[in-house]
Amino acid sequence: MIHISLPDGSKKEIARGASLLDVAAAIGPRLARAAVCALVDGELRDLRERLDKDASVTFYTRGSLQALEVLRHTTTHVMAQAVKRLFPTAILGIGPAIENGFYYDFATEQPLTPEDLSSIEKEMRRIVTEDHPIERLDTALEETREILAAKDERLKLELLDDLEEETAVLYTQGEFVDLCRGPHLKRTGEIKENAFKLLSIAGAYWRGDESRPMLQRIYGTAWESKKDLDGHLENLAQIEARDHRKLIKELDLVSFHEEGGAGLAYWHPKGGRMRVIIEDYWRKLHYEGGYEIVFTPHIGRALLWEASGHLDFYREGMYAPMNVDGQDYYIKPMNCPFHIMIYKSRTRSYRDLPLRWAELGTVYRYERSGTLHGLLRVRGFTQDDAHIFCTPEQIEDEISRVLDFSLNLLSGFGFTEFSVELSVRDPKTPEKYAGEDPMWEQAEVSLVRAIEARGLPYKRMEGEAVFYGPKIDIKIKDALGRAWQLTTIQFDFNLPQRFDMTYIGEDGKEHRPYMVHRALLGAIERFYALLVEHYAGAFPVWLAPVQAVVIPISDRFLEYAQGVVDELRKAGIRVEANFSTGRMNAKIRDAQLQKIPYMLVVGGREQETETVSVRLRTEEDLGARPLAEVIAMILEKTEARSLI
RNA sequence: GCCAGCGUAGCUCAAUCGGCAGAGCAACUGAUUUGUAAUCAGUAGGUUGCCAGUUCGAUUCUGGCCGCUGGCUCCA
């Protein structure tokens, strides 16, 4: 007999070799029916697995996150089975459950097309209806190899060769056999035939390796119920409706041009207005926060990039040089060497430090064509870059400051949920990194203290640091709960050395300053795309490119309407006049579609009483208000940078 | 960069087994003078992404290029 500890603290005695399903049955028949998988000493297991020693066990029932993962994993097997039925020569790759769904990779003779998805789905429904029992077979490696070889599953054989265990696990359902660790559902019929959907088809390198063949990947999603599936599809529709690529076009903010080249954004007047507002706010906060703002060239001689090491390590990310007067000049992919030039323009004393220099620096990087994506991934962009040069004694205080500064700036735009990732070096390969051990240790301590002092949740990422220093990245959550990495704060132990930067210390000797790179919004383009999606184009009044539109109900009131427009404009409000000959209803609709916060309707009543009727884009009707009151209301929201 | 799909009027989308390319919205003109999400009528708008090839004839078929989309990958 062995002893099983349960989460409520109780224990069960059960025969050695009993399956987890037996354990569940011993606890109660209802659990046995509802259980999908179990956590055994910290590992997620299949209910068919047998226990041969004492263990602590937690069962997960339908509805739990873990059960959903199992459901998705089984659904992807059903998909693979369907694919094998329809395309018998398809070779299985891997097929895991992922967030909100699953995928499976196949090597196929013919590429799959989107039209194949519906026939695969149909076959999947058949397999679900056939309700095959799913068997788990722990099999000796050699036998497994024979089984897979007989089915010509060469990719699975490759996985098998890399297996470290002594036995392999095969799962079967009907004619389908797969090498898989599990866990899985007990029958294909447990999948709801109307609660899954295949979504897309894409190429994916075998084992994520570009030098290996490209497989066909099918993505799908699966849920406990049709209602959950519909909810998820609704969510996807939401994301699509907020897609900045659609909104920047509809709202006339930014465009891209085939003639101008991929990944290069054109800011229209309305996008430009918003950008100026964002950047002015950024500048104001930087001056208040003890930064100085600098400007540096867009191109620099090869010498500079040789000194920085960019030409050695980052050349493929840079645009090709242009030759001027026999000298090679490169468009800058980063601002740092230029700021270092300013630093080196004179002798620096410890009394000068810390120096905090910020620049909205436009850089160009050659991103691979396939990675470009609207404003989120471009080839030309403006970083809200800054470099902090300080003494070792100042570093902790500086990190602390920059963290507060970042959180403050981001919350100004309406982002208040943060999480932090701390990337440190891999202790096993210290030789890969620039800088001395004590520097890394001090840097890490100052980063950790700064994070912990603010009670921010953080993840420590071992070995994720870049070679020149540790860093922290701040992620924010948007209105749809998606995480975006914006801020990055990075130590640099490399460049001060490469450029032989020094300052004169109290002791009259030369010392090496510490250098910290930081970008808070990241790239303005990317941040802007995020703002568009976060607000679904309905920007807070202080950011809205057009804050108010004046709508006369007929052109008999044009004169009064023009007076209203003049007053608003004089007060500094971004106002548009819709004086076209159309009906008021159409103008309201236009303004609504443009998501303009205030619609000011003027007709006879308003003219007589020196008022405007205020309609909000939320469809709320505030009725007629004195013009002065409306101006004050809009200005108040603007100045307070109110988020609605 | 790689795999797949796509590219038709400013926008959203039709159409052609290879035979004169079409609608709605927007634009323009005229009429209408309107009270909180689309007034009516008319006009104009296209080398069907670009360049080759096949063909009597290519928007349609083939190849190359450019761009976009979904992924993979990269993010010194």
Side-chain angles (χ1 to χ4, degrees):
Chain A
M1 297 297 260
I2 55 173
H3 298 273
I4 306 300
S5 329
L6 298 167
D8 64 357
S10 68
K11 288 200 186 269
K12 274 271 175 222
E13 210 169 64
I14 197 144
R16 186 178 301 270
S19 73
L20 283 159
L21 197 55
D22 298 332
V23 178
I27 295 168
R30 271 190 35 208
L31 180 66
R33 273 199 304 277
V36 173
C37 58
L39 198 67
V40 179
D41 295 333
E43 263 183 70
L44 203 61
R45 297 290 190 80
D46 192 284
L47 292 182
R48 280 152 285 215
E49 288 189 62
R50 299 186 178 282
L51 295 171
D52 52 7
K53 60 178 198 305
D54 291 359
S56 69
V57 174
T58 308
F59 286 99
Y60 292 112
T61 54
R62 263 192 285 286
S64 69
L65 222 62
Q66 289 79 0
L68 209 50
E69 201 179 313
V70 173
L71 168 76
R72 288 171 183 152
H73 197 175
T74 299
T75 309
T76 202
H77 274 213
V78 169
M79 175 171 79
Q81 183 172 11
V83 168
K84 292 285 274 186
R85 283 184 182 180
L86 298 171
F87 307 92
T89 56
I91 310 283
L92 299 175
I94 57 165
I98 53 174
E99 195 184 359
N100 291 330
F102 57 84
Y103 68 82
Y104 214 114
D105 288 344
F106 306 93
T108 56
E109 286 176 338
Q110 297 289 320
L112 298 167
T113 66
E115 291 77 59
D116 293 326
L117 291 185
S118 59
S119 56
I120 296 170
E121 252 180 40
K122 209 169 134 205
E123 192 60 35
M124 287 172 72
R125 295 213 167 78
R126 183 169 299 145
I127 293 165
V128 167
T129 313
E130 288 163 3
D131 194 18
H132 298 284
I134 298 169
E135 311 275 2
R136 178 189 161 95
L137 306 166
D138 284 80
T139 319
L141 290 182
E142 204 34 54
E143 196 181 331
T144 310
R145 190 165 287 122
E146 281 165 25
I147 293 169
L148 293 175
K151 293 196 165 272
D152 211 18
E153 295 290 357
R154 52 187 165 79
L155 298 178
K156 290 289 180 189
L157 283 167
E158 194 182 325
L159 293 176
L160 187 68
D161 289 338
D162 292 349
L163 224 56
E164 285 170 9
E165 288 85 349
E166 310 202 328
T167 60
V169 183
L170 293 173
Y171 274 87
T172 68
Q173 57 206 40
E175 80 285 358
F176 180 74
V177 182
D178 197 358
L179 176 74
C180 177
R181 207 170 258 125
H184 278 286
L185 300 177
K186 296 189 277 294
R187 311 187 64 87
T188 60
E190 288 177 61
I191 296 169
K192 299 258 185 342
E193 60 174 312
N194 59 3
F196 65 84
K197 188 173 169 58
L198 301 186
L199 297 175
S200 63
I201 195 154
Y205 295 105
W206 172 232
R207 303 182 116 180
D209 183 345
E210 275 186 68
S211 65
R212 300 196 203 224
M214 183 157 277
L215 306 180
Q216 302 285 306
R217 174 172 297 180
I218 304 178
Y219 283 94
T221 186
W223 299 81
E224 296 281 357
S225 65
K226 177 161 180 2
K227 194 168 147 256
D228 288 352
L229 171 67
D230 289 344
H232 178 65
L233 295 178
E234 172 54 34
N235 195 29
L236 292 181
Q238 262 290 317
I239 290 172
E240 204 182 320
R242 284 171 181 253
D243 192 321
H244 74 279
R245 291 169 301 181
K246 186 170 107 103
L247 289 170
I248 59 176
K249 199 187 276 184
E250 286 174 4
L251 302 181
D252 194 16
L253 301 170
V254 181
S255 60
F256 290 90
H257 300 275
E258 191 175 336
E259 301 89 319
L264 302 168
Y266 292 65
W267 292 72
H268 297 200
K270 285 179 188 169
R273 268 194 182 202
M274 292 184 68
R275 183 157 166 177
V276 167
I277 294 162
I278 293 166
E279 292 184 355
D280 282 350
Y281 177 55
W282 183 94
R283 281 188 203 101
K284 175 175 133 59
L285 288 191
H286 276 73
Y287 279 133
E288 286 169 8
Y291 285 84
E292 288 300 329
I293 290 172
V294 299
F295 295 85
T296 63
H298 290 79
I299 59 174
R301 284 175 62 198
L303 260 177
L304 200 58
W305 305 107
E306 278 159 16
S308 70
H310 283 94
L311 285 178
D312 287 337
F313 297 104
Y314 193 66
R315 176 174 245 135
E316 72 284 5
M318 295 170 70
Y319 274 84
M322 56 195 115
N323 194 279
V324 180
D325 294 340
Q327 295 287 332
D328 274 347
Y329 283 77
Y330 286 87
I331 303 185
K332 66 176 170 184
M334 294 181 191
N335 303 302
C336 2
F338 296 89
H339 291 190
I340 291 173
M341 288 298 109
I342 299 177
Y343 183 95
K344 284 174 66 85
S345 66
R346 46 167 291 183
T347 309
R348 303 287 172 183
S349 145
Y350 73 97
R351 293 173 192 274
D352 299 330
L353 305 182
L355 291 168
R356 307 184 195 98
W357 291 341
E359 175 173 13
L360 290 163
T362 302
V363 298
Y364 291 84
R365 298 183 183 175
Y366 177 75
E367 301 285 353
R368 293 161 77 176
S369 60
T371 64
L372 300 175
H373 182 91
L375 280 169
L376 284 174
R377 192 70 184 246
V378 284
R379 284 183 174 157
F381 56 98
T382 301
Q383 283 184 308
D384 73 316
D385 207 358
H387 296 94
I388 298 166
F389 306 102
C390 66
T391 68
E393 296 73 41
Q394 291 166 332
I395 196 67
E396 191 158 335
D397 198 37
E398 287 304 311
I399 293 293
S400 200
R401 272 180 87 111
V402 74
L403 198 54
D404 278 341
F405 190 81
S406 175
L407 299 182
N408 178 45
L409 176 68
L410 294 174
S411 60
F413 289 103
F415 303 109
T416 48
E417 267 193 84
F418 306 108
S419 64
V420 177
E421 285 178 0
L422 168 69
S423 297
V424 297
R425 63 183 170 167
D426 185 345
K428 281 174 287 192
T429 52
E431 70 284 356
K432 266 176 39 187
Y433 298 92
E436 310 299 319
D437 282 355
M439 297 165 90
W440 279 83
E441 280 149 28
Q442 189 196 6
E444 195 180 321
V445 166
S446 58
L447 291 173
V448 169
R449 282 208 196 131
I451 301 167
E452 287 181 346
R454 277 150 197 86
L456 294 165
Y458 76 100
K459 252 199 310 205
R460 192 188 158 84
M461 316 277 281
E462 211 81 50
E464 285 297 302
V466 278
F467 83 89
Y468 51 78
K471 62 166 180 175
I472 48 182
D473 294 327
I474 303 178
K475 291 185 172 177
I476 58 97
K477 262 194 184 166
D478 74 3
L480 293 180
R482 299 173 296 180
W484 303 74
Q485 193 228 298
L486 298 179
T487 296
T488 182
I489 303 169
Q490 312 196 340
F491 276 82
D492 194 327
F493 299 139
N494 181 46
L495 288 182
Q497 195 180 330
R498 278 184 164 270
F499 281 97
D500 192 25
M501 297 170 72
T502 57
Y503 65 91
I504 308 299
E506 245 174 305
D507 55 6
K509 296 199 177 100
E510 288 193 338
H511 297 270
R512 190 77 77 207
Y514 271 40
M515 175 174 177
V516 174
H517 307 259
R518 47 112 280 199
L520 307 182
L521 307 178
I524 300 294
E525 285 73 6
R526 188 175 119 93
F527 179 73
Y528 184 72
L530 164 59
L531 274 183
V532 171
E533 300 202 356
H534 180 65
Y535 289 109
F539 302 106
V541 177
W542 74 281
L543 285 171
V546 179
Q547 298 177 304
V549 57
V550 176
I551 299 173
I553 65 168
S554 89
D555 57 16
R556 286 188 303 157
F557 310 106
L558 279 185
E559 200 179 326
Y560 178 64
Q562 185 59 52
V564 170
V565 169
D566 292 344
E567 286 298 309
L568 289 161
R569 193 161 284 149
K570 220 191 300 168
I573 291 166
R574 300 185 288 277
V575 60
E576 260 182 11
N578 190 339
F579 290 177
S580 66
T581 61
R583 290 181 58 203
M584 178 201 63
N585 293 29
K587 297 180 185 182
I588 298 258
R589 183 182 139 86
D590 283 349
Q592 202 70 49
L593 291 174
Q594 287 295 305
K595 303 174 198 274
I596 297 169
Y598 295 97
M599 287 157 242
L600 309 178
V601 178
V602 296
R605 297 201 292 269
E606 289 77 10
Q607 185 167 7
E608 276 165 34
T609 54
E610 293 271 300
T611 57
V612 293
S613 281
V614 182
R615 178 191 158 112
L616 306 182
R617 64 185 160 194
T618 54
E619 297 185 38
E620 194 182 344
D621 186 351
L622 301 185
R625 303 279 182 102
L627 181 56
E629 188 187 308
V630 172
I631 289 175
M633 178 171 72
I634 297 174
L635 287 179
E636 190 196 316
K637 286 239 189 252
T638 306
E639 276 151 26
R641 295 193 186 81
S642 163
L643 293 174
I644 41 170

